[in-house]
Amino acid sequence: MKIVFIGYRAAGKSTVGTLVSRRLGWPYLDIDRGIETRCKTTLAQFYQEAGEEGFRAVETEVVVEMCREDQVVISFGAGTLMKEHNQEAACRDSLVVYLEASVQELWRRIQSDPGSAANRPNLSRGGIEEVKEMLTIREPAYRKCADLVLDATRPPEQLADDVIAAYTAKSKARAG
């Protein structure tokens, strides 16, 4: 079984995912970093060059590859779950954790991350309106796939504790 983190940009997927992977002694994988490694460029640059269709095709290849692994922690990109095939891969033999935050909190975090604009493409008009628009579109997929929904404004250490407790409970239920 694996642990998959989902949620919007800046929800804390990488931060909490890294904590969980360290505590469990499992590898940490990140779909966005996998795309960058495969394409040898930033997400924003690759998205601009390949367009959304080309980007999403490579993203799905990376998802399928990473989701074949067992005992790993994987952070999905904010839009990765919009393809049904990626939802199936995420949910197969996994604990799927949705880190949920308000539009205002996500926008605050995006603004405070100096690398966000350089590394991540705008998908519509940008700004808080984009966050609101994209979250409205994506949240149903997040909720559909989530085994566990956590308030992303809580301290990362507490979130990691909750994820490990949920993973342990799900593992025991499956074994017994």
Side-chain angles (χ1 to χ4, degrees):
M1 195 160 78
K2 61 193 165 290
I3 299 172
V4 174
F5 284 91
I6 60 172
Y8 198 73
R9 176 187 302 186
K13 300 179 300 284
S14 299
T15 300
V16 180
T18 300
L19 278 171
V20 170
S21 76
R22 285 184 188 145
R23 290 187 189 177
L24 293 175
W26 291 0
Y28 173 74
L29 307 174
D30 184 294
I31 300 297
D32 289 347
R33 301 299 74 78
I35 295 167
E36 289 177 336
T37 299
R38 182 166 294 188
C39 298
K40 297 175 179 49
T41 187
T42 66
L43 287 181
Q45 183 67 37
F46 179 61
Y47 190 90
Q48 184 178 359
E49 291 169 4
E52 184 166 6
E53 191 173 317
F55 177 88
R56 297 295 178 198
V58 171
E59 179 181 59
T60 295
E61 292 172 9
V62 172
V63 165
V64 168
E65 187 177 296
M66 288 184 179
C67 286
R68 283 189 191 122
E69 301 293 322
D70 189 37
Q71 293 190 330
V72 295
V73 176
I74 306 171
S75 290
F76 271 42
T80 305
L81 283 180
M82 297 316 295
K83 280 192 156 186
E84 185 75 30
H85 191 74
N86 294 347
Q87 291 177 25
E88 292 166 7
C91 295
R92 191 177 311 113
D93 196 31
S94 303
L95 173 72
V96 180
V97 180
Y98 171 29
L99 296 181
E100 180 181 45
S102 69
V103 169
Q104 293 76 17
E105 176 64 15
L106 293 167
W107 178 238
R108 186 192 65 73
R109 291 180 181 190
I110 290 167
Q111 287 184 296
S112 69
D113 178 3
S116 187
N119 295 322
R120 297 176 180 161
N122 280 340
L123 301 175
S124 66
R125 59 190 144 210
I128 194 168
E129 288 304 315
E130 177 179 303
V131 176
K132 184 176 182 179
E133 177 186 342
M134 292 292 114
L135 194 58
T136 299
I137 292 166
R138 293 172 176 173
E139 191 167 36
Y142 297 160
R143 292 200 177 281
K144 174 184 171 189
C145 293
D147 296 305
L148 181 64
V149 178
L150 296 175
D151 176 357
T153 63
R154 293 179 46 231
E157 295 78 13
Q158 289 178 9
L159 295 169
D161 290 343
D162 290 351
V163 171
I164 291 170
Y167 170 79
T168 301
K170 187 170 182 174
S171 294
K172 285 181 181 175
R174 291 179 62 179

